[in-house]
Amino acid sequence: MADLLTDLQFNMFRKIIYDSCGITFSETNRSILDSRLKERLREKSMTNVEDYYKLITSDQGEFKTFLDSITTNLTRFFRNQPHFDALINYVIPHVIENKKLTGERKIRIWSAGCSTGEEPYTIAMLLKDKLPAPYTFEIIASDISLKSLMVGQQGFYPESRIAGIPQNYLATYFTKADGGYQVKPEIMKTIRFDYHNLRNDSGARNLDVVFCRNVLIYFDEAAQKATIDRFWTAMAKHSYLFIGHSESLFGMDTKFEFLKTQWACLYQKNE
């Protein structure tokens, strides 16, 4: 089958995608949009692209399904281990020092663009293991993909997906089940999975740590800047931001400070 979209149609679809969630489709990834649209048309037994465009502008449910189909959900447990080493060895001790000044004992973390949940579950296992009493934690895990969020909420992962989890964590925090592993309730209850579009204010405030890794690469500069500014608003006066190792805030007009630890590079908010 030839390319599905004319130039005019391609521009229509990429505009509605960009306006709704900030994801940018260029000529180089046009084929991805084309192939995902073909899948949706087959699924809906439709042949006309413009009829499908009308459908997603009038049916929010289908529009969310369409956005779900075009987002890439590549993730794994303990992905980019140096970030988690920096979290445990540097960030958490500094967060605790600041908490001592206020008497507060809960650490708040946001995993933005959490995909199928491996990142927030990794954070939860590490904090369950390493966080000293009497401190507790809560994690918000959000994504624009409802399908991915459902996987995260269920907390069940096939054997092929558990690579990278240390054996002692697998034994402590998972139950072996038919065909895979189920996250134990004690870990599941520390995470709240929530649909969220990074184009909007999450409403969260006083977050101590934000993870938003390998999400900004899908945004253009304006959408990146707006997202980073919303993170600043959501975060506590002394807090920490992790982005993907191929992402950077250099050249961006932002108040975040670059921070190089012996484990990994990240950003901090100091107000």
Side-chain angles (χ1 to χ4, degrees):
M1 190 189 276
D3 283 353
L4 182 67
L5 296 169
T6 65
D7 288 348
L8 180 62
Q9 290 166 342
F10 174 57
N11 286 326
M12 281 166 47
F13 275 95
R14 74 174 175 179
K15 183 177 188 306
I16 195 172
I17 293 165
Y18 178 77
D19 288 348
S20 66
C21 63
I23 294 173
T24 303
F25 274 91
S26 62
E27 284 296 333
T28 54
N29 55 14
R30 177 173 177 161
S31 60
I32 296 172
L33 179 56
D34 203 79
S35 66
R36 303 296 159 81
L37 266 170
K38 285 174 184 170
E39 289 170 17
R40 290 310 305 151
L41 287 173
R42 274 199 300 272
E43 196 75 27
K44 302 299 288 184
S45 301
M46 297 174 76
T47 55
N48 188 294
V49 172
E50 300 209 4
D51 285 346
Y52 185 71
Y53 182 85
K54 287 174 188 168
L55 177 63
I56 62 173
T57 56
S58 61
D59 182 336
Q60 266 305 108
E62 179 57 28
F63 187 47
K64 284 185 178 180
T65 302
F66 170 60
L67 290 179
D68 207 333
S69 75
I70 62 167
T71 52
T72 305
N73 298 303
L74 175 66
T75 187
R76 64 178 184 271
F77 287 100
F78 290 87
R79 186 183 186 190
N80 196 353
Q81 179 69 45
H83 277 171
F84 299 113
D85 294 339
L87 175 71
I88 292 304
N89 295 306
Y90 184 92
V91 170
I92 294 302
H94 280 78
V95 168
I96 286 174
E97 283 306 308
N98 285 317
K99 296 284 181 190
K100 285 177 180 175
L101 301 175
T102 63
E104 193 192 358
R105 292 176 175 176
K106 180 172 282 187
I107 294 172
R108 296 178 178 83
I109 297 175
W110 182 13
S111 170
C114 70
S115 188
T116 44
E118 285 89 337
E119 178 179 270
Y121 282 127
T122 298
I123 296 166
M125 288 186 286
L126 282 167
L127 293 185
K128 198 79 174 168
D129 182 36
K130 307 288 189 186
L131 191 64
Y135 293 95
T136 60
F137 67 94
E138 63 180 18
I139 300 170
I140 303 164
S142 72
D143 204 273
I144 200 170
S145 167
L146 290 168
K147 190 164 59 179
S148 296
L149 287 169
M150 284 175 66
V151 174
Q153 280 181 323
Q154 288 161 0
F156 176 81
Y157 297 91
E159 302 223 10
S160 59
R161 298 284 290 277
I162 54 100
I165 303 175
Q167 276 304 312
N168 61 321
Y169 280 18
L170 196 60
T172 306
Y173 301 121
F174 288 81
T175 303
K176 183 84 171 75
D178 188 27
Y181 290 82
Q182 176 66 48
V183 181
K184 287 186 177 178
E186 65 179 288
I187 294 295
M188 294 184 73
K189 72 182 182 184
T190 65
I191 302 171
R192 175 166 61 84
F193 286 94
D194 190 21
Y195 177 86
H196 178 65
N197 184 336
L198 287 172
R199 284 291 250 188
N200 305 321
D201 181 356
S202 69
R205 295 294 182 268
N206 294 315
L207 296 164
D208 299 296
V209 185
V210 172
F211 277 77
C212 184
R213 304 189 299 169
N214 308 305
V215 175
L216 297 176
I217 49 173
Y218 296 104
F219 296 170
D220 69 0
E221 286 183 26
Q224 287 178 358
K225 169 79 165 66
T227 302
I228 292 298
D229 287 347
R230 279 188 283 273
F231 286 153
W232 179 274
T233 301
M235 291 167 69
K237 289 186 176 183
H238 302 284
S239 49
Y240 298 86
L241 170 67
F242 289 88
I243 60 176
H245 64 86
S246 63
E247 298 169 321
S248 171
L249 303 189
F250 286 124
M252 189 183 294
D253 180 20
T254 171
K255 300 175 193 169
F256 283 103
E257 298 170 16
F258 179 72
L259 174 63
K260 185 172 184 179
T261 72
Q262 71 179 78
W263 301 275
C265 297
L266 57 146
Y267 294 87
Q268 62 183 343
K269 174 179 176 178
N270 276 321
E271 222 179 9

